[in-house]
Structure formats: C-alpha cells, structure tokens
Amino acid sequence: MRNNTIGSLIWLRLMRFTTQSNQLSNEFLKRFDLTTAQFDVLMQISVYQPLTQSELAEKVTVTQGGISRMLVRLEKEGYIERKQDWKTKTISLTEKGEAVLEQAFPEQLAFQSSFFDEVLSEEEQKTLYTLMTRVHKNSQKKELPPE
Amino acid sequence: MRNNTIGSLIWLRLMRFTTQSNQLSNEFLKRFDLTTAQFDVLMQISVYQPLTQSELAEKVTVTQGGISRMLVRLEKEGYIERKQDWKTKTISLTEKGEAVLEQAFPEQLAFQSSFFDEVLSEEEQKTLYTLMTRVHKNSQKKELPPE
DNA sequence: CACCATCACTTGATTAGTCAAGTTAAATAA
DNA sequence: TTATTTAACTTGACTAATCAAGTGATGGTG
C-alpha cells in the first residue's frame, strides 16, 4: 500500500480543513449564541425569504427532518416565523432574527474570510473559487457508481 | 445586506461540497459496511500503526471521547485490536481489518478522485492541492480573535 | 360527493459526535 | 514505601443529524 492519488489528497485536505474550521467557527459564533449551522440557515432565509421548508432544506444540504427540528429551535429562540400558508409553511426572519444577523454577519464573514486572506492573494482566491465551483457543481449531479 | 467576500464564497462552496460528497461517500462505502469516518480511521491506523488513541484522535480531528467510542465499535466488528501497553493502548489492524481495507482502499480512492478527475486537469488539481494545503496549515495554527 | 393519492411537514428510534467528570495505572516526591 | 500528581482512556448527559413511519390538508377521479 498506499499509492495515494492527487484527488484523494485533495479530498483529505478538504475534509480536515472543513471540520477544523467548522469547529473554530462554532466557537467564534458562541458570542452571538449561534452555531455555524444556524447562522447558515438564517443567512439563507434572509436572502431567499419567504420560502418553504423543503426549499430551505435543499439549500443547506440537510434532510426534511433535519430542517424541521432546526427551525423548531430557531422559532423557539424567536429568530424566525413560520406561517401555515395553504399546505406549506412559509418561513421568514423576525425582527430579532434580522437584528442578530445584522450583528453577526460582518464579523462572521470577516472570520471566514480570514482563513483565506491570511495566506492567499486575491488572484489565488479567485482561482480556488473557480476550481471549487466546478468541483462542487460536478458533485451535485453525481450518481453512485454501480457495485 | 449582503456584500459577500470572496473568502466567504469559497467557504460556502467548501462546506457544501464536503457535506455533499461525504454523504455520497457514506452511501458508496455501504458496500463494505463502513462509514467514511471509519474508513478514514482504518486508513490512518494502517499507515501509522502501532499508535495510541490520542495520536489517532489528533490525526482524524476528533476528541478523545469520540475516538474512544469509535474504536469500541471497530473492535467489536473485529477490524482492530487494542493492547494495554503500559498505561497506553496500542492500536493495530487485525487480519480482518487489513482485508477489508485492502478491498475498500482502491475503490474508495477511485471514488474520491473521481470528484476531481471529472472536471479538473492534472495541473489544476495540483494547484487546488497546494492552495488548500496552505489554507489548511494556516487554520491549524489559528487562534480565535478576541471579542 | 366520497374516496384516494400526494405533498409538506413532524416525530420516534437510532447513530455519531461533544464536553466534562470519573477511573486507573505510572511516575514522582517525601 | 506510601501519597500525590499526571496521563490515557472511558463514560454519562447532551446535541444534532439521519431514516422511515406517521399526520393532515389539497386536489383529482370514479
């Protein structure tokens, strides 16, 4: 063993980096009493509101069940509102949700960016972004290979 | 709102891609009755064995408690062995563990690589790898900014 | 007009991880 | 030699997600 391919090395780096930076981000967001996942959901709502739970679930790559529980928590905290419209629940931010996001948004963005700003030039960041965009888009239409 | 920085866009892509491809990978590995996390742990053991739990925990970015539970499962399945050496437990693969890994390794590597091979040239993959390596290394020494 | 299928969402059971307190063995000091 | 500290690992309580079964409202069909 072990002839690693370049692809598998990239994969590992990505996995390690994301778990690591996700942990750091969770710690960072404690000051706003949010988790990274919650921040993500609030962001998506703020951009796309009003929207349904299924739409949201898809945007943040979580199951229906997952989004349901998550929104219960966020609703209990008073960050969001759900209205039963027809058979659909329409989600939107409350005042309080807007306020928290308004506060957390610039800081969280700066924090996320710092991971890249500290070691990559503007040019390199653009390159990284386009490469990852291609990779991500590809993965979205990927099927499992047959056994 | 919302002037996204290039860094925050990269971050989002990375997060979405890793959760997505992690899910696909878990599905893929079902044929070997493994999860992605388990495969990762077995790989690390196979490369570095014999090693202690704390060393392993650090390599796979998991807490001591997490590694402990994980190894209990892997031991129950008969993939690994733990020996009490001094006050340390030394971990190594069993025959069965070696065998599973031997089987799963090439397929999983090919699967991981396919995410990148399908859309990036060799050259581009190298670029992506070096950029991510720099970003990852930087995140490892990162401290939380003050409130 | 009553029944059935479907869609959007919720919920019980399970899994995987975190954190912090607990356990045990070894090393060090008195 | 006993007593204390430390290191490595485990465990109980909790959190967050998954999957699959359940619920209830809408809309179509015989």
Side-chain angles (χ1 to χ4, degrees):
Chain A
M1 278 207 188
R2 306 297 140 116
N3 281 23
N4 290 301
T5 58
I6 175 88
S8 70
L9 295 177
I10 300 174
W11 163 284
L12 251 207
R13 281 276 178 228
L14 291 177
M15 292 297 160
R16 300 281 189 257
F17 170 72
T18 48
T19 52
Q20 168 118 29
S21 71
N22 200 36
Q23 279 166 10
L24 286 168
S25 171
N26 273 323
E27 244 174 288
F28 178 71
L29 285 174
K30 276 200 188 127
R31 63 190 63 175
F32 302 107
D33 203 30
L34 290 174
T35 65
T36 306
Q38 291 173 336
F39 177 84
D40 189 11
V41 165
L42 291 180
M43 274 299 295
Q44 296 301 321
I45 299 176
S46 107
V47 173
Y48 295 104
Q49 69 183 327
L51 77 174
T52 67
Q53 292 197 189
S54 345
E55 286 165 350
L56 185 54
E58 199 182 346
K59 288 197 191 302
V60 297
T61 339
V62 140
T63 58
Q64 283 263 2
I67 232 19
S68 176
R69 292 179 208 277
M70 211 156 176
L71 291 178
V72 168
R73 291 193 284 276
L74 287 172
E75 195 168 39
K76 212 175 288 170
E77 297 285 323
Y79 293 142
I80 63 154
E81 250 176 3
R82 292 189 284 179
K83 281 193 233 93
Q84 190 80 34
D85 269 356
W86 282 30
K87 69 180 160 185
T88 292
K89 292 204 173 170
T90 319
I91 305 158
S92 50
L93 293 181
T94 60
E95 296 273 309
K96 185 175 172 195
E98 291 280 7
V100 168
L101 198 52
E102 203 65 49
Q103 257 215 308
F105 180 81
E107 295 204 42
Q108 170 66 358
L109 244 69
F111 182 62
Q112 286 174 2
S113 303
S114 71
F115 285 104
F116 308 100
D117 290 343
E118 284 165 12
V119 287
L120 303 184
S121 71
E122 180 80 16
E123 207 45 54
E124 289 169 324
Q125 292 191 39
K126 280 188 188 148
T127 306
L128 178 52
Y129 182 62
T130 43
L131 293 179
M132 278 312 303
T133 302
R134 287 192 1 233
V135 170
H136 180 209
K137 293 236 162 97
N138 176 243
S139 79
Q140 289 180 308
K141 40 178 196 280
K142 208 168 165 58
E143 298 277 317
L144 271 203
E147 302 231 4
Chain B
M1 275 211 188
R2 310 297 142 114
N3 280 23
N4 289 302
T5 58
I6 175 86
S8 71
L9 295 176
I10 300 174
W11 163 287
L12 250 208
R13 282 276 178 227
L14 291 177
M15 291 299 161
R16 300 282 188 256
F17 171 72
T18 47
T19 52
Q20 168 118 29
S21 72
N22 200 34
Q23 279 166 10
L24 286 168
S25 171
N26 274 323
E27 244 174 287
F28 178 72
L29 284 173
K30 276 200 186 126
R31 65 189 63 175
F32 302 109
D33 203 30
L34 289 174
T35 66
T36 307
Q38 290 173 336
F39 177 83
D40 189 12
V41 165
L42 291 180
M43 273 299 296
Q44 296 300 322
I45 300 175
S46 108
V47 173
Y48 295 104
Q49 70 182 326
L51 77 174
T52 67
Q53 291 196 188
S54 348
E55 286 164 350
L56 186 53
E58 200 183 346
K59 288 198 191 303
V60 298
T61 339
V62 140
T63 58
Q64 282 263 2
I67 239 0
S68 177
R69 294 181 206 277
M70 210 156 178
L71 291 177
V72 168
R73 292 192 283 274
L74 286 172
E75 195 169 40
K76 212 175 287 170
E77 297 284 323
Y79 293 142
I80 63 154
E81 251 176 3
R82 293 189 284 178
K83 280 192 234 99
Q84 190 81 33
D85 268 358
W86 283 29
K87 71 177 158 188
T88 293
K89 292 205 173 169
T90 319
I91 304 158
S92 50
L93 294 181
T94 59
E95 296 274 309
K96 186 177 171 194
E98 290 279 9
V100 167
L101 198 52
E102 202 66 49
Q103 258 215 306
F105 179 79
E107 297 204 41
Q108 170 68 358
L109 245 69
F111 182 63
Q112 287 175 2
S113 303
S114 71
F115 285 104
F116 308 100
D117 290 343
E118 284 165 11
V119 286
L120 303 184
S121 70
E122 181 80 16
E123 208 45 54
E124 289 170 323
Q125 292 191 40
K126 280 187 189 149
T127 306
L128 178 53
Y129 182 63
T130 43
L131 293 179
M132 279 311 304
T133 302
R134 281 179 23 222
V135 170
H136 180 209
K137 292 238 163 92
N138 175 243
S139 79
Q140 289 180 309
K141 40 177 193 282
K142 208 168 166 60
E143 297 279 318
L144 271 201
E147 305 228 4

